[in-house]
Amino acid sequence: MQTSCCSNNDYDSKLLTVEEALTRIYHDLQPINGNEQLAIRDALDRVLAEDILSKINVPPHANSAMDGYAVQGSDLPTKGKTKLTMVGTSFAGKPYSGTVQAGQCARIFTGAVIPDGTDTVIMQENVDKQENVITITTGNEIGQHIRPIGEDISIGQTILKTGKYLSPVDIGLLASLGIPEVKVKRRLRVSFFSTGDELRAVGETLQAGQIYDSNRYSLYGVLSRLGVDIIDMGVVLDKPKDVEQAFLAAAECGDVIITSGGVSVGDADYVTDTLQRLGKVNFWKVAMKPGKPLTFGKLKDSAFFGLPGNPVSALVTFYQFVQPALRHMMGQNTTTQIRVPATCLSTLKKSPGRMEFQRGIMKTDEQGNLVVSSTGIQGSGVLSSMSQANCFIVLAKECGNVKAGNKVLIEPFAGLI
Ligand code: AMP
Ligand code: MG
């Protein structure tokens, strides 16, 4: 699709593109080992570790989609009227045990088994009933209002595949098959901490130059929604020894380590250096905005993500890189991020060179078109912009300024942020 772009190659070619960074992440990380057997309710938001085949038909019997009368299709009049005698009733859960003959009908309710001898249901609204005789007219079709056996699921069908992230619907689907327990991947363990001498936890009083640590709270939120085991290690000071100790402790308990802050090249930025010494750095600069410094690597057996400290940058890099990485390690079938075109109602400032994830508010206008407006200033410290937004406006690396009325790609937050 055409987005608003101008060509200008004035950017740092040493930076990895967002796509290259993602490819490296997928290449370096493997799904975790270890499964557990859980009751289906407890399996919500977990990743299936087996294929689920149905042992039954759903529905297990042909049944009525309406309250009405079950009849033989050959009794339907092609003109005029026909009278049929009612010989019994089929309730949901209490079928009629007899066989309906020509000239007869059975009262039937929604979900009830279609009685032997019948193949058609007539809605009660379309019937004239006098005592136990009904009169039917034309306008009905043979086979109508019947939900056939196995209409939803048939015996032997693979209904859920290994790697499926189990949603509330999936839990219901498993119940509809009569399956009480499933095998799922064990939970991924994620340890995380913030780095920064200036950070204080909520509840503490700020002294001059200090700020509240927000990243540990927003990260806690997104990690909770992803259904991982969270090990919150608090705030670590910008001291090489403290950072090193925290790294080693985090690697003891986490399949994944996430830190925020201290990944740029400032004097107090020890994260990348420490990873270099104790583990392996894969990359730490991506051509994106916000979030250019981002450390990815390995520490012992754990995957390592050093997110930038700016709160918006931390969330954007989490969303774009850590989220897919965690899903991959959880054994989840890969899901591609959905990006759709929308008309941009705002003018956007953008220099070519880095892919940008600006914060947008999407909606449908009166004509039903998808439109997006900017949340305003896009500083990487402006966390309120993320709170107002419901999508990213994704601007390609080469793209320049965007004029109001131009088409852009947007990526809905999809419930995670
Ligand atoms: P850094 O990446 O450590 O250079 O931090 C960049 C900016 O983000 C600085 O203004 C920090 O004060 C701020 N920052 C770092 N960590 C956090 C955090 N956990 N919560 C809120 N702001 C932070
Ligand atoms: Mg810092």
Side-chain angles (χ1 to χ4, degrees):
M1 66 148 274
Q2 285 287 309
T3 50
S4 165
C5 288
C6 72
S7 70
N8 180 336
N9 291 326
D10 176 25
Y11 47 78
D12 185 349
S13 58
K14 290 195 293 291
L15 300 182
L16 284 183
T17 64
V18 170
E19 295 78 14
E20 284 165 348
L22 261 179
T23 306
R24 288 204 193 185
I25 288 172
Y26 282 127
H27 181 262
D28 252 38
L29 302 179
Q30 308 307 322
I32 48 165
N33 292 319
N35 302 325
E36 50 189 319
Q37 187 81 9
L38 290 183
I40 54 175
R41 281 187 190 175
D42 299 328
L44 179 66
D45 290 338
R46 302 290 289 266
V47 177
L48 201 56
E50 61 179 344
D51 287 350
I52 301 292
L53 274 67
S54 181
K55 292 202 176 81
I56 59 168
N57 286 308
V58 181
H61 46 256
N63 68 94
S64 179
M66 294 285 173
D67 291 335
Y69 296 85
V71 305
Q72 293 194 354
S74 50
D75 275 344
L76 295 178
T78 47
K79 56 181 190 325
K81 297 179 175 178
T82 299
K83 287 188 186 304
L84 302 171
T85 307
M86 208 171 89
V87 291
T89 302
S90 184
F91 295 97
K94 213 164 116 206
Y96 172 63
S97 53
T99 301
V100 175
Q101 310 291 339
Q104 298 180 335
C105 70
R107 183 79 170 110
I108 194 161
F109 296 99
T110 304
V113 175
I114 301 298
D116 286 347
T118 67
D119 57 9
T120 302
V121 170
I122 304 189
M123 283 167 69
Q124 63 189 25
E125 292 84 343
N126 297 338
V127 160
D128 181 42
K129 180 172 175 282
Q130 300 291 332
E131 305 208 328
N132 67 337
V133 173
I134 62 165
T135 305
I136 56 174
T137 55
T138 55
N140 295 295
E141 277 178 29
I142 295 177
Q144 72 184 17
H145 306 316
I146 289 182
R147 302 190 283 218
I149 180 171
E151 179 186 44
D152 184 3
I153 298 161
S154 51
I155 288 181
Q157 192 179 332
T158 303
I159 201 68
L160 293 170
K161 287 219 169 101
T162 302
K164 177 80 170 69
Y165 187 78
L166 295 172
S167 69
V169 177
D170 296 328
I171 303 307
L173 195 58
L174 289 165
S176 80
L177 301 176
I179 295 174
E181 291 183 345
V182 284
K183 200 198 289 177
V184 296
K185 283 273 181 198
R186 74 162 170 86
R187 272 186 204 276
L188 193 66
R189 288 188 284 271
V190 179
S191 28
F192 70 103
F193 57 88
S194 299
T195 69
D197 289 344
E198 74 281 29
L199 303 177
R200 287 292 169 276
V202 291
E204 293 180 14
T205 308
L206 296 184
Q207 306 297 328
Q210 297 181 336
I211 59 167
Y212 287 116
D213 171 10
S214 62
N215 289 346
R216 224 156 30 86
Y217 294 82
S218 41
L219 284 178
Y220 178 88
V222 284
L223 289 170
S224 305
R225 288 205 165 158
L226 283 170
V228 301
D229 269 348
I230 300 171
I231 304 137
D232 180 350
M233 299 179 57
V235 175
V236 174
L237 296 177
D238 291 318
K239 293 197 181 72
K241 260 261 145 311
D242 289 22
V243 173
E244 182 175 322
Q245 268 173 12
F247 268 44
L248 295 174
E252 284 297 308
C253 48
D255 302 301
V256 182
I257 302 165
I258 302 173
T259 66
S260 84
V263 286
S264 347
V265 287
D267 287 347
D269 293 331
Y270 298 112
V271 169
T272 311
D273 280 357
T274 310
L275 186 63
Q276 195 99 56
R277 260 186 305 111
L278 302 181
K280 183 172 152 278
V281 175
N282 187 318
F283 63 80
W284 70 287
K285 272 185 177 172
V286 181
M288 67 187 287
K289 189 178 172 187
K292 181 168 139 193
L294 161 79
T295 305
F296 166 64
K298 279 281 186 64
L299 179 56
K300 303 200 168 172
D301 292 331
S302 311
F304 185 97
F305 291 92
L307 306 183
N310 276 307
V312 177
S313 312
L315 279 168
V316 171
T317 47
F318 184 95
Y319 197 91
Q320 296 300 327
F321 299 113
V322 186
Q323 170 191 197
L326 298 186
R327 292 190 191 279
H328 173 67
M329 291 182 75
M330 288 157 90
Q332 197 178 329
N333 294 336
T334 43
T335 46
T336 40
Q337 304 274 29
I338 289 176
R339 291 180 184 158
V340 288
T343 303
C344 190
L345 302 180
S346 318
T347 299
L348 306 179
K349 274 179 68 182
K350 160 83 169 68
S351 307
R354 292 198 262 162
M355 190 174 205
E356 286 198 16
F357 297 90
Q358 300 202 6
R359 272 69 69 206
I361 302 165
M362 61 175 184
K363 61 170 193 180
T364 41
D365 67 10
E366 279 107 56
Q367 287 76 46
N369 300 312
L370 189 58
V371 296
V372 65
S373 24
S374 170
T375 55
I377 53 162
Q378 295 289 316
S380 53
V382 187
L383 189 53
S384 58
S385 72
M386 284 293 286
S387 162
Q388 290 163 36
N390 56 11
C391 67
F392 291 120
I393 303 173
V394 184
L395 302 174
K397 189 172 148 186
E398 307 77 19
C399 173
N401 291 332
V402 173
K403 293 198 195 96
N406 283 357
K407 285 268 184 204
V408 289
L409 283 179
I410 60 171
E411 183 173 327
F413 286 170
L416 188 69
I417 298 183

